[in-house]
Amino acid sequence: MKEISFEVSAYYPYIMLCVVILCIYVLIMPYLVVIPRRNKIMNPRFMKQFFEAHAEALGPSANWGSLTAGYPDQGNGMFADKLPYLHWYHLNNTIRVHQNFVESMPQIIGMLLIGGLYFPRCALAVGSINCLTRPLYIYQYLIGGPNKRILGAVSGSLPLYLLGVATLAQMCVEMMK
């Protein structure tokens, strides 16, 4: 097996900064988006209807605080079944947009960091585009649902996938030498 060597570009710290910014987005998104909407929809007045069942299941000394904001319901459980459709729809879009982001982070991080070794300028551009378009994606998803996220999704994902394909191709070429 041949040894592969490469130099890290002066752009690489900026690529890592993009990764850190995206990680910060993932960390703060629940506090800025998910929790406020969840608290608005599954408020104490709504949750009061479950107190009796909660006490019956967990005993008379059950902690009512555990029903705050409808946890552990993730928008498709016992509590959400009692929501009006519009509230259920908004709650599920909010939870889904966050989960989409969490689920895509390994690909984003991997493609930026590995792609940055082979194509540092491109990776920096793709990382910057992702940092700029992720809030657009989130906003579009929250306002219009999954059908309205297309601009944010394509503008962030397409460059990332192209970087991934180019990186894979370059790695294959180098392995065949």
Side-chain angles (χ1 to χ4, degrees), residues 150-164:
I150 192 75
L151 179 62
V154 171
S155 61
S157 298
L158 184 61
L160 188 70
Y161 298 149
L162 292 174
L163 175 65

Side-chain angles (χ1 to χ4, degrees), residues 81-100:
D81 284 346
K82 303 284 185 184
L83 289 171
Y85 181 81
L86 187 61
H87 288 162
W88 172 85
Y89 181 76
H90 287 306
L91 179 63
N92 273 275
N93 281 338
T94 304
I95 291 169
R96 192 66 231 143
V97 73
H98 181 245
Q99 272 310 114
N100 283 353

Side-chain angles (χ1 to χ4, degrees), residues 103-137:
E103 292 164 1
S104 66
M105 280 304 287
Q107 294 90 351
I108 293 170
I109 292 170
M111 286 188 208
L112 288 178
L113 294 180
I114 296 169
L117 297 172
Y118 295 95
F119 305 105
R121 288 186 194 135
C122 290
L124 178 56
V126 170
S128 299
I129 289 168
N130 266 266
C131 288
L132 296 172
T133 60
R134 183 53 66 165
L136 174 65
Y137 173 82

Side-chain angles (χ1 to χ4, degrees), residues 12 26 50 53 69 80 122 137-138 142:
Y12 205 76
V26 166
F50 302 105
C122 290
Y137 173 82
I138 293 166
L142 293 176

